[in-house]
């Protein structure tokens, strides 16, 4: 199979470095990271060999959900700087060949947003129908059984209107009504504002939540509660969410948003999908003229990842020319860090080879800040927990703060060189031991191995844009070929702590490649893979 890429398809195979701005670098001595801190560290980010940065929300917000509750879509929150700081960040990133993807939270706003303040006042004001309002049932209870992700009913009573409003997350995060054409126009205008400034695309927060069932039908019970840390202790997972999210009207709006982005040229959309029916949702949302990229929770919540699991997910999503493009993600700000989740704290090579496999598979890949250091999940005591999700479900679920602690830049500096004052979340000793300055001095560190591999990968277009087909082999090993035009690269990854020898007589692997930093070699008709090793060969 052959696939040929084009300049406007930069997102195919892109490595996207996710930055959580509160925790990247503080330049204002308030314990919170900011836009200037990101700009100051762009040389470091570019040195990793990534193609783009995704910046988690930095627009104005009361920060009850740390930026995912927007009170003004068009203003930078003063905690992070101002619009001029963002313009400078954009310019400096572009000067280094880095694309900038902005996090857009479009499904809901803050209850302090001017749109909601007007909407809640009466049933007949100009924005009365901009949010999802409904009358109570005869007994005064909410209009249906829908639940909030953050606990309890997803309906909140508003006495000014004598109605309930919908909130899929905090009650201070009311849902916009995407069935109202005026809302869609307002949201598209928001996106146009940032596209005009020069952003290269948007990561769309919970984009399956945009539309809701206008009949407000009850969700049925879920006969199979999904596994994973985000679901085990939350009654939200006990429903099949077929009426409150993933409605057909959402993709119609996404087509409008895609058309807007296409009118600006090579801009890209990366969507966050929900857990249930994720494969079919991925196929639907990444169809032609919708999202270029989407990621689900297949790996983010997993406590064990095997070659067969990775292959199964890739085959379910589809990897032929007609299939949409996935964005692989092993870590992000919403899940425990993979090193701890997968039980590999004593073996950083395990996550390194897993990341290399994801970097090599068909699709883009998100690399969350600190993952290139092999950071484990930070232990944050309850009195320092700020995440509303964690505080609601503590101690069964400790929340997301352990993956959001400050980036450790210096081993011996106060607070890891992140700030000169006490940070908003603690810098833990296990992270100081893995700080950037210490790892940069060690040739075999996780940081240097990731940097070396990604730098090498940039010179292999087939690993970015090519088609993919899997090779039958030992179940402990993942083997596939990436093909672009007449060139094919065979990739093999050993997911065990034992050396393995593979015979692959059915394919001509080609000439072994070097420079990637993994120790696999070919001896006659066998490929020898060290523990947690990989092998690459090219055939023309």
């Amino acid at each position: 199979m052959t696939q040929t890429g084009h300049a406007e398809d930069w997102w195919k195979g892109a490595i996207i470095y996710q930055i959580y701005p509160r925790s990247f670098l503080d330049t204002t001595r308030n314990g919170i990271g900011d836009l200037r801190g990101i700009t100051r560290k762009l040389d470091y980010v570019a040195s990793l060999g990534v193609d783009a940065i995704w910046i988690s929300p930095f627009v104005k917000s009361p920060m009850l959900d740390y930026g995912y509750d927007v009170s003004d879509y068009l203003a930078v929150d003063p905690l992070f700087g101002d619009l001029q700081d963002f313009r400078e960040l954009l310019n400096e990133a572009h000067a280094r060949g880095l694309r900038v993807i902005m996090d857009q939270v479009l499904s809901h706003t803050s209850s302090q947003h001017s749109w909601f303040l007007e909407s809640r006042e009466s049933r007949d004001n100009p924005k009365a129908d901009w949010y999802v309002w409904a009358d109570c049932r005869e007994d005064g209870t909410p209009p249906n059984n829908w639940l909030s992700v953050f606990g309890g009913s997803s309906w909140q009573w508003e006495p000014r209107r004598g109605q309930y409003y919908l909130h899929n997350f905090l009650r201070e995060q009311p849902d916009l009504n995407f069935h109202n054409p005026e809302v869609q126009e307002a949201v598209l205008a928001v996106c146009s504002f940032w596209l005009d400034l020069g952003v290269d695309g948007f990561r769309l927060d919970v984009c399956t939540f945009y539309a809701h069932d206008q009949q407000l039908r009850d969700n049925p019970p879920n006969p199979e509660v999904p596994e994973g840390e985000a679901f085990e202790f939350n009654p939200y997972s006990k429903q099949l969410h077929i009426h409150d999210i993933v409605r057909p009207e959402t993709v119609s709006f996404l087509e409008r948003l895609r058309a807007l982005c296409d009118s600006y040229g090579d801009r890209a959309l990366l969507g966050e999908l929900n857990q249930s029916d994720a494969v079919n949702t991925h196929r639907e949302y990444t169809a032609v003229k919708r999202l270029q990229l989407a990621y689900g929770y297949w790996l983010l919540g997993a406590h064990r990842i095997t070659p067969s699991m990775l292959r199964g997910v890739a085959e379910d999503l589809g990897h032929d020319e007609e299939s949409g493009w996935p964005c692989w993600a092993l870590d992000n700000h919403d899940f425990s860090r993979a090193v701890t989740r997968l039980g590999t704290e004593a073996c950083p090579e395990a996550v390194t080879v897993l990341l290399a496999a994801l970097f090599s598979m068909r699709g883009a890949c998100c690399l969350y800040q600190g993952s290139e250091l092999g950071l484990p999940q930070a232990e944050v005591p309850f009195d320092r927990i700020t995440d509303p999700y964690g505080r609601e479900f503590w101690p069964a679920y400790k929340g997301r703060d352990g993956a959001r602690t400050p980036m450790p830049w210096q081993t011996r500096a106060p607070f890891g060189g992140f700030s000169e004052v006490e940070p908003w979340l603690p810098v833990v000793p296990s992270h100081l031991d893995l700080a950037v300055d210490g790892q940069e001095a060690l040739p075999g560190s996780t940081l240097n191995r990731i940097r070396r591999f990604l730098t090498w990968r940039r010179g292999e277009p087939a690993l970015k844009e090519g088609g993919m087909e899997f090779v039958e082999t030992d179940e402990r090993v993942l083997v596939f070929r990436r093909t672009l035009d007449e060139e094919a690269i065979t990739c093999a990854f050993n997911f065990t702590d034992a050396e393995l020898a593979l015979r692959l007589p059915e394919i001509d692997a080609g000439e072994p490649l070097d420079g990637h930093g993994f120790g696999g070699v070919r001896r006659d008709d066998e490929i020898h893979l060290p523990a947690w090793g990989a092998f690459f060969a090219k055939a023309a």
Side-chain angles (χ1 to χ4, degrees):
M1 181 191 348
T2 299
Q3 294 183 337
T4 302
H6 304 283
E8 62 268 24
D9 294 340
W10 63 267
W11 46 270
K12 288 185 176 180
I15 305 299
I16 303 167
Y17 187 78
Q18 183 194 352
I19 294 175
Y20 195 72
R22 293 183 70 89
S23 296
F24 203 57
L25 182 67
D26 170 23
T27 67
T28 57
R29 293 175 53 85
N30 64 355
I32 295 173
D34 46 67
L35 295 179
R36 290 185 180 182
I38 298 173
T39 303
R40 187 176 295 179
K41 291 295 185 179
L42 285 175
D43 283 338
Y44 167 80
V45 176
S47 77
L48 297 174
V50 302
D51 303 289
I53 57 174
W54 148 25
I55 308 176
S56 291
F58 55 84
V59 296
K60 194 170 182 181
S61 165
M63 299 293 168
L64 296 180
D65 193 22
Y66 296 96
Y68 288 92
D69 49 328
V70 176
S71 57
D72 187 345
Y73 283 109
L74 307 183
V76 172
D77 193 282
L79 278 175
F80 302 125
D82 55 30
L83 273 177
Q84 183 56 35
D85 291 326
F86 183 68
R87 290 188 183 97
E88 292 176 5
L89 191 164
L90 266 177
N91 291 336
E92 293 297 324
H94 288 160
R96 291 163 174 78
L98 294 170
R99 308 268 183 165
V100 178
I101 297 174
M102 176 186 179
D103 214 324
Q104 280 286 18
V105 187
L106 304 179
S107 72
H108 53 267
T109 71
S110 164
S111 57
Q112 297 182 27
H113 197 291
S114 61
W115 297 347
F116 185 75
L117 296 178
E118 183 174 353
S119 183
R120 74 179 183 181
E121 285 302 317
S122 68
R123 301 189 187 192
D124 57 2
N125 66 76
K127 290 187 173 56
D129 194 37
W130 279 44
Y131 292 81
V132 183
W133 297 96
D135 294 329
C136 63
R137 289 188 275 203
E138 290 185 0
D139 61 357
T141 56
N144 60 30
N145 71 345
W146 296 354
L147 296 174
S148 162
V149 175
F150 286 173
S153 171
S154 61
W155 295 96
Q156 177 65 29
W157 181 253
E158 173 47 67
R160 295 170 182 83
R161 289 181 53 136
Q163 286 184 304
Y164 283 96
Y165 66 83
L166 179 68
H167 62 92
N168 277 298
F169 299 94
L170 296 176
R171 68 179 184 179
E172 294 89 356
Q173 292 172 296
D175 273 53
L176 285 164
N177 179 15
F178 272 79
H179 295 287
N180 185 336
E182 292 181 351
V183 169
Q184 292 197 21
E185 292 299 326
V187 166
L188 291 172
V190 165
C191 293
S192 292
F193 174 85
W194 294 101
L195 290 167
D196 287 339
L197 275 180
V199 299
D200 299 287
F202 302 115
R203 179 264 184 181
L204 301 176
D205 183 63
V206 294
C207 65
T208 57
F209 284 65
Y210 290 172
H212 66 285
D213 173 35
Q214 289 184 287
Q215 298 179 50
L216 303 182
R217 289 171 287 185
D218 280 354
N219 282 328
N222 184 2
E224 297 183 8
V225 176
E227 297 179 356
E229 63 178 38
F231 311 104
E232 294 169 357
F233 308 107
N234 191 340
Y236 185 83
S237 61
K238 296 184 181 297
Q239 290 184 359
L240 287 176
H241 295 275
I242 62 175
H243 295 308
D244 49 349
I245 61 176
V246 203
R247 302 297 300 168
E249 298 86 353
T250 293
V251 291
S252 299
F253 171 75
L254 291 177
E255 289 171 356
R256 297 191 66 195
L257 181 54
R258 172 66 181 271
L260 173 67
C261 289
D262 285 350
S263 71
Y264 283 82
D266 56 350
R267 313 300 171 92
L269 296 173
L270 166 62
E272 176 192 21
L273 306 183
N274 61 293
Q275 174 71 12
S276 59
D277 201 22
V279 169
N280 288 331
T281 303
H282 186 279
R283 288 178 176 269
E284 181 181 17
Y285 278 54
T286 59
V288 176
K289 298 302 180 183
R290 294 175 184 171
L291 303 176
Q292 284 98 334
L293 300 168
Y295 73 87
Y297 301 159
W298 308 288
L299 309 182
L300 287 166
H303 292 272
R304 184 168 182 262
I305 298 175
T306 64
S308 61
M309 175 189 176
L310 279 182
R311 176 172 176 171
V313 173
E315 290 178 334
D316 287 343
L317 297 179
H319 51 82
D320 55 26
E321 292 187 18
E322 286 71 42
S323 298
W325 283 66
C327 185
W328 304 107
L330 191 61
D331 284 309
N332 73 16
H333 63 293
D334 281 333
F335 290 85
S336 297
R337 288 191 176 272
V339 168
T340 300
R341 181 164 35 86
L342 299 174
T344 62
E345 292 190 21
C347 184
E349 298 87 355
V351 171
T352 303
V353 74
L354 179 55
L355 282 172
L358 296 180
F359 296 152
S360 302
M361 292 175 69
R362 180 183 181 273
C365 189
C366 286
L367 180 65
Y368 181 47
Q369 67 182 50
S371 294
E372 75 276 17
L373 305 177
L375 296 185
Q377 182 79 350
E379 284 292 331
V380 180
F382 180 73
D383 62 355
R384 293 292 302 271
I385 291 289
T386 66
D387 177 23
Y389 198 8
R391 295 189 71 86
E392 180 70 22
F393 290 102
W394 181 279
Y397 174 62
K398 297 182 179 180
R400 301 167 292 180
D401 286 335
R404 299 177 175 184
T405 55
M407 183 79 170
W409 296 103
Q410 298 170 278
T411 303
R412 301 185 183 280
F415 312 116
F418 163 76
S419 178
E420 296 180 18
V421 300
E422 180 71 35
W424 73 289
L425 285 175
V427 179
V428 298
S430 62
H431 286 194
L432 291 176
D433 294 340
L434 297 171
V436 171
D437 65 345
Q439 292 209 35
E440 287 189 323
L442 296 173
S445 68
T446 300
L447 170 60
N448 282 324
R449 293 191 70 193
I450 295 293
R451 179 182 281 156
R452 179 179 182 181
F453 183 80
L454 288 179
T455 301
W456 170 81
R457 176 186 179 274
R458 300 190 82 166
E460 301 295 343
L463 294 182
K464 293 172 63 73
E465 305 167 18
M468 181 171 68
E469 57 184 329
F470 290 95
V471 177
E472 299 294 339
T473 186
D474 189 308
E475 66 180 9
R476 296 169 293 178
V477 181
L478 181 70
V479 182
F480 53 83
R481 286 189 299 181
R482 300 294 306 276
T483 304
L484 183 68
D485 298 325
E486 302 305 317
E487 185 174 276
I489 296 181
T490 298
C491 310
F493 303 90
N494 180 2
F495 283 16
T496 76
D497 59 2
E499 182 176 345
L500 298 175
L502 300 178
R503 286 183 179 271
L504 299 175
E506 71 276 19
I507 67 169
D508 177 15
E511 291 299 315
L513 297 170
D514 54 23
H516 45 74
F518 287 90
V521 297
R522 189 174 65 190
R523 297 173 188 157
D524 299 323
D525 60 349
E526 286 187 337
I527 295 173
H528 287 254
L529 292 168
W532 312 114
F535 171 84
F536 300 87
K538 181 184 293 186

